[in-house]
Amino acid sequence: MAKWGEGDPRWIVEERADATNVNNWHWTERDATGWSTDKLKELLMGVRVEGEQGVCEVTAVDTLDGEASINNRKGKLIFFYEWNIKATWTGTTKSGIKYKGSIEVPNLSDENDMEDLDISVALGKDEPLTPLADLMKKDGEKKIRIALGSYITHLKSEFTQGMILPSANGMPSQKQQQQTAPKVKPDKSQTGSSTSASSTAATGVKIPTCKFSLKDNFRTAPEELYRVFLHPEMVRAFTHADAVVENHRGGKFRLLDGNVSGEFMDLVQDEKIVMKWRFKTWPCEHYATVTLTLKDKGDETELHLDARGVPTNEEDRTKEGWLRYYFQAIKQTFGFGAQLY
């Protein structure tokens, strides 16, 4: 049985010879500093938390020292960003008394994971003690981390439009696919599966099928992860290939040079995606039913995948493909990294 890393054509777009420096696409660079400054201010100024003690919100972004840029090296996008951020928060009690404090983020960088980000929230030097400081340190810090994670998401989706340029034959090569999506072996302790009754394809041949489930956490809000699966530009970003995505109930999708296709059967905003899903090499008109359920866990989203009707002899490849070309590729592309459990 061929392994994904050895070039199984069902997931990987076929490798093609690239012409030398077609349209100068082997190296392009885009300065994202100005855009990032505006986006960071927009996201941070939207941070607001409320509790029994009152309301706390970011009222000023005082310092944004740093830079950001994106390089396209032979079809692979490489992100550089490094920021030192200082901001002011204001708390207001239920009786209308106001307090001020500071926020400092010294290490927002492509070299650090979001979970390792240092976020310092403090009450102003001359301010009297108030429970609002605890509210901001606990709940406010979580909202700040989500806002900064959202900045990385936007940087890797919105700002990169037009940077993933085609090769001479129109698509990234197999080598580029392997560079941007690390191989992940399915862990039997982390997945569940069982064999079910055979289904009959359009050819009239009975196919033994199975069902399995996967679960993973993503460091982002449910609404952001929901968009990743349905927004055409975001799908193109994490698959590094052309994609057709009709993001409505009954809409069709076609990914990875047509190796994956299907139809959205049901969409529940920010909560659930149900789809008919198939490999190109499966028996004609045979589809599995894949359900993605998103659960808000505060500073991350828990994603449950349930697949039914998968041909039994395709179970391992299908699991590994979802782990590698969806889960890990999404984390790497948009910075939603969290360990599989």
Side-chain angles (χ1 to χ4, degrees):
M1 180 179 290
K3 295 182 179 179
W4 294 105
E6 296 173 349
D8 192 299
R10 275 171 260 213
W11 283 93
I12 301 175
V13 177
E14 182 181 0
E15 183 173 12
R16 301 173 173 87
D18 296 333
T20 303
N21 204 24
V22 176
N23 296 324
N24 198 33
W25 77 284
H26 285 290
W27 178 276
T28 57
E29 182 172 344
R30 183 178 294 179
D31 184 2
T33 303
W35 177 90
S36 294
T37 300
D38 293 338
K39 181 60 70 173
L40 284 166
K41 285 182 178 179
E42 173 192 333
L43 293 169
L44 288 170
M45 291 296 288
V47 171
R48 184 177 187 274
V49 291
E50 187 171 355
E52 294 180 359
Q53 306 90 338
V55 176
C56 297
E57 56 190 341
V58 176
T59 50
V61 179
D62 307 301
T63 302
L64 276 173
D65 287 335
E67 60 182 348
S69 63
I70 306 172
N71 292 319
N72 180 350
R73 298 180 185 179
K74 296 184 178 180
K76 178 182 178 182
L77 294 182
I78 302 174
F79 300 85
F80 299 96
Y81 54 91
E82 186 172 5
W83 295 98
N84 180 6
I85 304 169
K86 294 181 181 179
T88 298
W89 64 271
T90 300
T92 307
T93 66
K94 293 292 181 70
S95 60
I97 301 174
K98 293 186 180 293
Y99 298 84
K100 285 195 174 183
S102 62
I103 301 164
E104 186 170 357
V105 183
N107 64 336
L108 178 61
S109 166
D110 57 275
E111 296 182 354
N112 298 319
D113 293 331
M114 285 305 299
E115 53 264 36
D116 298 327
L117 196 62
D118 293 328
I119 301 176
S120 175
V121 177
L123 187 63
K125 183 178 179 181
D126 299 324
E127 296 283 357
L129 294 177
T130 170
L132 290 174
D134 295 330
L135 174 65
M136 192 61 187
K137 287 179 181 179
K138 182 181 178 181
D139 296 341
E141 180 181 321
K142 290 181 180 178
K143 287 289 186 71
I144 292 167
R145 195 179 300 275
I146 290 173
L148 296 177
S150 183
Y151 155 69
I152 297 171
T153 299
H154 288 294
L155 176 66
K156 294 182 177 183
S157 57
E158 293 179 8
F159 195 77
T160 57
Q161 292 185 22
M163 288 197 70
I164 305 177
L165 303 178
S167 66
N169 291 295
M171 299 295 294
S173 69
Q174 176 180 342
K175 180 179 179 181
Q176 293 155 12
Q177 292 282 326
Q178 293 171 337
Q179 284 178 322
T180 54
K183 182 178 179 180
V184 177
K185 294 184 179 180
D187 187 339
K188 295 294 184 181
S189 66
Q190 298 162 16
T191 64
S193 64
S194 65
T195 302
S196 62
S198 302
S199 68
T200 305
T203 57
V205 179
K206 288 189 175 182
I207 305 168
T209 63
C210 66
K211 59 183 179 180
F212 66 81
S213 60
L214 300 171
K215 182 168 65 174
D216 203 351
N217 282 8
F218 294 77
R219 290 280 184 172
T220 188
E223 55 267 27
E224 290 290 343
L225 187 58
Y226 184 85
R227 288 182 66 241
V228 167
F229 287 101
L230 293 175
H231 194 289
E233 289 299 328
M234 299 181 82
V235 173
R236 292 183 189 114
F238 78 77
T239 59
H240 298 274
D242 193 18
V244 175
V245 182
E246 300 173 353
N247 50 11
H248 57 83
R249 186 173 183 177
K252 311 288 187 182
F253 58 85
R254 184 175 181 273
L255 318 178
L256 296 168
D257 204 20
N259 286 307
V260 170
S261 61
E263 178 182 337
F264 294 114
M265 300 170 63
D266 192 21
L267 298 173
V268 181
Q269 183 75 33
D270 305 334
E271 294 181 9
K272 183 183 289 187
I273 299 171
V274 183
M275 66 186 91
K276 290 168 55 180
W277 187 98
R278 63 174 270 109
F279 279 135
K280 184 177 181 180
T281 54
W282 284 3
C284 181
E285 293 302 313
H286 179 80
Y287 289 84
T289 299
V290 176
T291 301
L292 303 176
T293 306
L294 290 69
K295 295 185 178 181
D296 191 347
K297 294 294 182 179
D299 60 349
E300 61 185 19
T301 299
E302 186 177 85
L303 177 65
H304 290 256
L305 178 149
D306 292 300
R308 295 175 179 271
V310 176
T312 303
N313 62 347
E314 295 287 340
E315 179 182 356
D316 288 342
R317 286 176 174 172
T318 306
K319 282 181 183 177
E320 189 168 350
W322 270 94
L323 289 169
R324 178 180 177 185
Y325 290 96
Y326 281 88
F327 290 10
Q328 289 298 322
I330 287 170
K331 288 182 180 182
Q332 186 176 39
T333 302
F334 302 112
F336 296 165
Q339 287 192 345
L340 190 70
Y341 64 92

